[in-house]
Amino acid sequence: MSATLQTQSSQAVGPVFDRGEEIGFVTLMLAGMLCGVPVLAVREVVTNSKIVRVPLAPAEIAGNINLRGRIVTAIDTRSRLGLDQAPAAAERVALVAEANGALYALLIDQVLEVLSLPADQIEELPVNFGAAWRTYSKGVHRLADRLMIVLDLQALLSFQP
């Protein structure tokens, strides 16, 4: 049985950032790092879903989940970003988004809260972030006590055949 939190989504993968406006971000934890994705890009958050492995799939594909009868590809976000694997016993949360007419579930460690932040305060990534972070993020947002990495869902969900 899976617990699901529904969110409104009018766009697949999310808006382009317009300067001078506030953007709602779903904040999440990924390998101890605070990240955010535009709230309008998130279809829903799913917990306790069973992942069925896909033989010969790339390491970034964790498998498939059944979302109310629809097959959804589960992406191992840690692997996609070149991070250490989650402990085997760790509970993972699936953040569901749509790209090119298909649903994808990004496996993350934890969903935190929704923050409304000014779009014009997103800065470039610091130079010490690696190539994967540069490919899969739009920059960082300075919060009072830490940086929030703004993930680029379009890039994370783009796969070359």
Side-chain angles (χ1 to χ4, degrees):
M1 189 79 165
S2 88
T4 303
L5 169 69
Q6 296 279 344
T7 62
Q8 298 294 328
S9 176
S10 60
Q11 299 177 358
V13 185
V16 174
F17 298 133
D18 288 330
R19 300 297 179 196
E21 69 177 88
E22 296 228 337
I23 299 174
F25 289 96
V26 175
T27 60
L28 55 102
M29 292 300 292
L30 191 60
M33 300 184 80
L34 179 66
C35 299
V37 296
V39 70
L40 292 177
V42 178
R43 285 290 228 30
E44 58 190 282
V45 176
V46 181
T47 59
N48 301 323
S49 57
K50 181 181 177 188
I51 298 171
V52 178
R53 306 290 284 156
V54 176
L56 304 176
E60 297 169 335
I61 305 295
N64 292 321
I65 63 172
N66 182 340
L67 186 61
R68 293 180 301 283
R70 189 163 176 190
I71 302 300
V72 177
T73 302
I75 309 297
D76 185 340
T77 311
R78 282 178 175 240
S79 178
R80 191 94 163 131
L81 292 168
L83 301 171
D84 292 334
Q85 292 300 308
E91 292 271 338
R92 306 281 303 275
V93 177
L95 190 119
V96 179
E98 185 176 349
N100 302 320
L103 289 181
Y104 294 91
L106 291 170
L107 299 179
I108 57 172
D109 299 339
Q110 181 182 15
V111 173
L112 300 174
E113 62 184 330
V114 175
L115 297 176
S116 185
L117 301 169
D120 60 356
Q121 292 183 12
I122 296 173
E123 303 174 20
E124 286 189 33
L125 282 175
V127 295
N128 61 329
F129 280 76
W133 287 104
R134 293 195 178 287
T135 301
Y136 300 121
S137 71
K138 291 187 179 259
V140 295
H141 206 295
R142 292 180 193 265
L143 301 178
D145 58 345
R146 63 196 308 186
L147 292 178
M148 179 186 78
I149 301 166
V150 178
L151 294 177
D152 182 348
L153 286 181
Q154 185 66 48
L156 276 170
L157 300 178
S158 294
F159 286 91
Q160 300 300 325

